[in-house]
Amino acid sequence: MKKITLMPLAALFIVACEQAPKKETIAVNYPTTQKVDTVDTYFGTEVKDPYRWLEDDMSDETGEWVKTQNKTTFGYLDNIPYREDLKNRLEKLLNYEKLGSPFEEGDYTYFYKNDGLQNQYVVYRRKGDEEAAVFLDPNTFSDDGTTSLAGLSFSKNGNLVAYSISEGGSDWRKVIVKNAETMEIVEDTLVDVKFSGVSWKGNEGFYYSSYDKPKGSELSAKTDQHKLYYHKLGTAQKDDALIFGGIPAEKHRYVGGRVTEDDRYLMISASVSTSGNKLFLKDLTKPNSKLITVLDHTDSDSYIIENVGSKLYIVTNMNAPNQKIVTVDAANPTPENWVDFIPETENVLTTGTGGGYFFTEYMVDAISKVLQYDYDGNLIREVKLPGVGSAGGFGGKKEKKEFYFSFTNYNTPGTTYKYNVETGDYEEYWKPEIDFNPEEYESNQVFYTSKDGTKVPMIITHKKGLKMDGTNPTILYGYGGFDISLTPSFSTINAVWMEQGGIYAVANLRGGGEYGKKWHDAGTKMNKQNVFDDFIAAGEYLIKKNYTSSDYLAIRGGSNGGLLVGATMTQRPDLMKVALPAVGVLDMLRYHTFTAGAGWAYDYGTSEESKEMFEYIKGYSPVHNVKEGVEYPATLVTTGDHDDRVVPAHSFKFAAELQAKQAGDNPTLIRIETNAGHGAGTPISKTIEQAADIYGFTLYNMGFTDLPNKAVLKEFKE
């Protein structure tokens, strides 16, 4: 067992979660969901799809179904006696000032700030020692707080700003350009921008990416031909120049362009899936210059992080699963000319640049380690971090000798530090004043054994002195996909759970990026079952070690993690008491037919590519593995009615299947947030309401008729 945090405790305060009195059963009368005779044939096998009609998320029938399901769900949640107490505590704990790391643009220093319970963070700025003033307030974008700021990009001299907004949580964005000094809008708003940043070329214009807008307004319409455009300031969007993409025979689902800090090169990445990319370069100093091919295949993940004149620095996992940095001249940039700059190590590398240095962050069992190098590849120092956890933000503009980084772990709220690149010294810049004492909590990293013998790390966080008697309410969280790493970070929402004596466990499953490309690939396509086995083994470990028991275990995950929860609960319904799949990919036979879903094929494969793949996917697809007469755990499916990434039809179908086939008394409900998307930009008010509903549902179905630790509520009420 690896100890992560063990702070001295001034006054030991143990929360006892003893066997709760048996809860009263809340009667649920599920709406009847219409079935249709839709059948698809895959390699000679017929598969029924009785709830296909729910894929039409804009139809009146689906809208009525959503209203009826929400009425049923909220009718149930309204009867949980301590739901309002949880909401009040969440509001209390979240009501503190939150500050982002400052950054400089032109003559100003900018930063994000939330006074406490503002639905959206506000952008402030100051000049020199002047008092900070509001620059952009997204809370004014809409009455209900559902229009959010989705991106902010300044021109070279900082005089112009292009910012994107998301309405109702949609991935489709609008881009507004203003004079940063006068705040006057300088041209018409750009529309239908998706999966894109904004990268300025000097002060003349910028590059952005998008798809052709589908005909009609269906949220689920397929979008799979991404294009890169150049927008010259003051011209109409219809006249924007197509820089890359749009060739039918060469379909790229994700295309991005970024200009180097010295404005010399445009770097273009083009991918057919979420893993692997081609790489191109355009010399912006030469009019009408042609694209230079750096990489002409998608067998690796590679990107240009820096240049000094024509010398390029490239981060790549080509022949280096844990990533390395190479150098090459832009005149001959193909891989045979690459020279190792910072070689691969046994730990996974991510990197940034700032102040004329490289900062390489390594994940050591999902924990941060940061090294500083000069531009000749010489190690300057290891940055001694404030503790054991996750560091972020190491990087900034080349000429700035100070920048800011953040540090956090599961029981330490995120703190910002100001770093001097020459001395390596740093000082605390901002620390949140939150009604939570991290010294009363501990995080421990353990390694457990999965079904095939693989060792998997998991971090378990809880109140110190908690009695391990198998009765602690526990949330097991996981993701396991898309090369994404779950590293320690503090969540105020999770703090409320732990205050109530809850255990919060995060498993670093295969499919993620914690141990590099090999770890990722071990959880993809025909290896996807490894991810579910890892998660099941995590639950079994928690039960075996008496942290909890099946009666007090909940599993939770979102998006690809929603698939994880759906597959785990259908394969091992006896393992947990509560299942919480959020915005999940749950119909694995059809996921690739919606929006940009086809781009997820690297991780999943598709039901159309081969009989073997079809049978494998069908074997775990949650929608297709709900069986009649099985007692599934109490389930609260959550989704947004405007989710145009993982369309709500996934959750709709899964909930309908569960309600039709569930045996026993465990409720199977779906909570559908209206005017909401995949999660980004969700107003804090909606976040609080959803968290209170999830925790209330979870504790109530674990048998708690009252909150395990009412003392916390008493304290804050006083």
Side-chain angles (χ1 to χ4, degrees):
M1 179 177 285
K2 180 178 179 181
K3 185 71 71 173
I4 287 187
T5 309
L6 186 57
M7 302 180 184
L9 187 60
L12 185 63
F13 177 47
I14 301 174
V15 180
C17 294
E18 298 176 354
Q19 184 73 33
K22 184 173 177 59
K23 67 179 175 67
E24 295 182 9
T25 300
I26 300 173
V28 182
N29 295 313
Y30 299 114
T32 300
T33 304
Q34 177 191 355
K35 295 183 178 182
V36 295
D37 295 325
T38 303
V39 179
D40 294 316
T41 302
Y42 300 87
F43 304 99
T45 300
E46 291 189 345
V47 180
K48 294 181 178 180
D49 193 0
Y51 304 115
R52 176 72 62 83
W53 63 277
L54 288 170
E55 291 180 5
D56 186 357
D57 33 44
M58 304 302 290
S59 73
D60 291 340
E61 292 80 7
T62 301
E64 192 59 37
W65 184 87
V66 167
K67 289 179 184 177
T68 307
Q69 289 288 341
N70 269 344
K71 183 178 180 181
T72 301
T73 297
F74 286 105
Y76 180 96
L77 296 171
D78 286 343
N79 282 284
I80 295 174
Y82 41 78
R83 176 180 172 220
E84 197 65 24
D85 286 336
L86 285 167
K87 180 182 175 184
N88 291 339
R89 180 56 182 153
L90 284 159
E91 286 182 346
K92 170 73 173 179
L93 205 55
L94 279 162
N95 192 12
Y96 68 95
E97 185 180 76
K98 307 164 191 72
L99 207 66
S101 296
F103 56 97
E104 294 183 15
E105 299 290 350
D107 297 329
Y108 292 91
T109 298
Y110 293 84
F111 59 94
Y112 288 79
K113 189 178 88 166
N114 190 308
D115 289 340
L117 295 177
Q118 290 175 289
N119 277 323
Q120 305 291 342
Y121 277 70
V122 178
V123 183
Y124 287 80
R125 72 175 177 185
R126 63 173 177 267
K127 181 184 289 187
D129 296 327
E130 294 178 5
E131 187 175 344
V134 173
F135 177 67
L136 277 177
D137 184 359
N139 296 290
T140 65
F141 292 174
S142 61
D143 292 337
D144 60 359
T146 59
T147 299
S148 61
L149 179 64
L152 188 68
S153 179
F154 289 85
S155 63
K156 180 73 172 178
N157 63 9
N159 290 346
L160 297 165
V161 61
Y163 65 93
S164 58
I165 62 172
S166 168
E167 296 169 314
S170 174
D171 280 333
W172 291 101
R173 311 286 199 237
K174 293 178 179 177
V175 177
I176 300 164
V177 183
K178 286 187 175 182
N179 181 307
E181 190 64 42
T182 66
M183 293 307 293
E184 294 178 352
I185 295 176
V186 300
E187 62 172 15
D188 292 340
T189 298
L190 274 65
V191 298
D192 300 337
V193 177
K194 190 172 183 180
F195 295 157
S196 175
V198 168
S199 187
W200 284 84
K201 176 186 175 184
N203 303 296
E204 309 158 14
F206 52 82
Y207 297 89
Y208 70 94
S209 304
S210 195
Y211 304 89
D212 293 333
K213 190 72 179 286
K215 294 180 179 178
S217 58
E218 293 83 0
L219 292 172
S220 57
K222 196 169 182 179
T223 49
D224 62 0
Q225 182 68 286
H226 216 200
K227 302 174 185 178
L228 178 68
Y229 294 93
Y230 175 69
H231 174 71
K232 185 177 180 180
L233 212 60
T235 64
Q237 185 178 4
K238 66 180 178 59
D239 297 325
D240 289 351
L242 176 63
I243 303 300
F244 188 93
I247 302 173
E250 195 177 25
K251 188 175 291 184
H252 296 103
R253 296 187 176 93
Y254 306 104
V255 174
R258 185 171 64 87
V259 178
T260 56
E261 191 175 336
D262 62 2
D263 270 353
R264 179 165 180 173
Y265 296 109
L266 169 67
M267 304 168 289
I268 301 173
S269 172
S271 308
V272 296
S273 192
T274 50
S275 187
N277 66 284
K278 299 176 185 177
L279 191 59
F280 304 91
L281 199 65
K282 185 178 177 65
D283 190 338
L284 298 178
T285 66
K286 300 176 182 177
N288 303 316
S289 62
K290 294 183 179 180
L291 287 183
I292 302 168
T293 300
V294 181
L295 266 179
D296 62 358
H297 59 78
T298 59
D299 297 340
S300 70
D301 300 283
S302 302
Y303 61 94
I304 300 168
I305 188 164
E306 178 64 295
N307 72 296
V308 176
S310 64
K311 185 178 183 179
L312 309 177
Y313 295 82
I314 300 173
V315 181
T316 182
N317 60 12
M318 182 182 293
N319 303 317
N322 291 337
Q323 295 203 138
K324 63 181 179 180
I325 305 177
V326 299
T327 60
V328 72
D329 192 273
N332 296 288
T334 48
E336 64 270 17
N337 300 310
W338 291 2
V339 176
D340 282 4
F341 174 65
I342 298 178
E344 180 190 23
T345 72
E346 62 181 354
N347 299 309
V348 182
L349 173 150
T350 58
T351 189
T353 62
Y357 294 93
F358 283 85
F359 292 86
T360 61
E361 180 185 341
Y362 293 94
M363 277 187 291
V364 183
D365 297 327
I367 306 300
S368 291
K369 176 181 179 180
V370 178
L371 303 179
Q372 180 176 342
Y373 291 87
D374 65 19
Y375 273 53
D376 293 321
N378 300 309
L379 176 63
I380 303 301
R381 65 178 61 91
E382 177 180 347
V383 181
K384 300 297 183 183
L385 298 174
V388 180
S390 301
F394 275 91
K397 293 182 177 179
K398 192 175 294 186
E399 71 276 9
K400 302 296 182 182
K401 297 305 176 183
E402 291 181 326
F403 58 70
Y404 300 83
F405 74 90
S406 61
F407 179 82
T408 183
N409 57 36
Y410 286 117
N411 59 316
T412 303
T415 301
T416 304
Y417 297 86
K418 187 176 184 179
Y419 182 80
N420 184 300
V421 300
E422 301 296 355
T423 66
D425 297 329
Y426 59 83
E427 60 186 25
E428 186 179 287
Y429 172 77
W430 176 81
K431 183 177 182 178
E433 295 182 7
I434 182 172
D435 183 24
F436 176 84
N437 183 6
E439 293 187 359
E440 295 179 351
Y441 297 82
E442 63 179 310
S443 284
N444 299 304
Q445 186 174 58
V446 301
F447 292 82
Y448 64 91
T449 304
S450 191
K451 183 178 180 180
D452 64 357
T454 300
K455 295 292 184 183
V456 182
M458 174 166 58
I459 296 178
I460 306 169
T461 308
H462 54 78
K463 204 166 187 69
K464 289 180 179 178
L466 198 64
K467 185 179 179 182
M468 300 305 169
D469 60 0
T471 66
N472 299 307
T474 300
I475 290 177
L476 172 60
Y477 183 86
Y479 188 81
F482 296 91
D483 203 23
I484 290 172
S485 302
L486 299 183
T487 57
S489 63
F490 180 80
S491 162
T492 313
I493 304 294
N494 293 338
V496 170
W497 175 258
M498 293 189 295
E499 278 184 339
Q500 292 303 318
I503 292 173
Y504 185 69
V506 179
N508 297 108
L509 315 171
R510 280 175 284 185
E514 290 86 350
Y515 294 104
K517 194 63 178 170
K518 291 179 180 177
W519 192 254
H520 174 209
D521 287 345
T524 62
K525 293 190 174 76
M526 303 288 280
N527 294 320
K528 190 64 182 176
Q529 183 60 40
N530 287 338
V531 185
F532 313 139
D533 290 342
D534 289 355
F535 203 50
I536 290 167
E540 291 173 338
Y541 177 92
L542 292 167
I543 293 168
K544 180 181 178 182
K545 296 297 184 180
N546 230 27
Y547 285 96
T548 190
S549 61
S550 292
D551 287 337
Y552 294 94
L553 178 63
I555 59 173
R556 187 175 185 186
S559 197
N560 174 74
L563 163 62
L564 172 70
V565 172
T568 301
M569 65 177 281
T570 51
Q571 292 181 19
R572 283 293 307 277
D574 61 308
L575 182 64
M576 75 295 298
K577 184 62 179 177
V578 178
L580 303 165
V583 292
V585 190
L586 298 161
D587 183 347
M588 298 307 297
L589 298 185
R590 288 180 55 75
Y591 79 87
H592 59 290
T593 65
F594 309 125
T595 60
W600 311 336
Y602 182 93
D603 266 58
Y604 299 146
T606 72
S607 57
E608 298 172 349
E609 65 185 77
S610 70
K611 186 174 188 292
E612 184 183 25
M613 187 65 77
F614 155 69
E615 290 175 346
Y616 188 87
I617 292 172
K618 185 175 181 292
Y620 72 78
S621 175
V623 164
H624 301 93
N625 283 279
V626 180
K627 296 179 174 59
E628 193 83 45
V630 174
E631 184 173 3
Y632 292 102
T635 304
L636 182 61
V637 181
T638 52
T639 189
D641 67 343
H642 278 64
D643 191 342
D644 50 10
R645 190 175 308 178
V646 179
V647 295
H650 287 279
S651 295
F652 294 173
K653 288 182 176 184
F654 189 53
E657 289 283 355
L658 284 169
Q659 290 178 358
K661 296 176 179 176
Q662 168 77 302
D665 295 329
N666 288 334
T668 53
L669 303 171
I670 181 168
R671 184 188 189 282
I672 306 157
E673 192 70 72
T674 56
N675 203 24
H678 198 59
T682 301
I684 190 65
S685 56
K686 289 194 175 192
T687 299
I688 289 170
E689 290 170 359
Q690 186 180 80
D693 289 347
I694 289 172
Y695 286 167
F697 179 88
T698 300
L699 289 170
Y700 194 77
N701 281 285
M702 289 176 175
F704 291 96
T705 57
D706 210 338
L707 287 175
N709 183 16
K710 291 190 290 184
V712 170
L713 302 180
K714 184 175 184 295
E715 286 172 8
F716 89 78
K717 282 180 179 177
E718 292 175 349

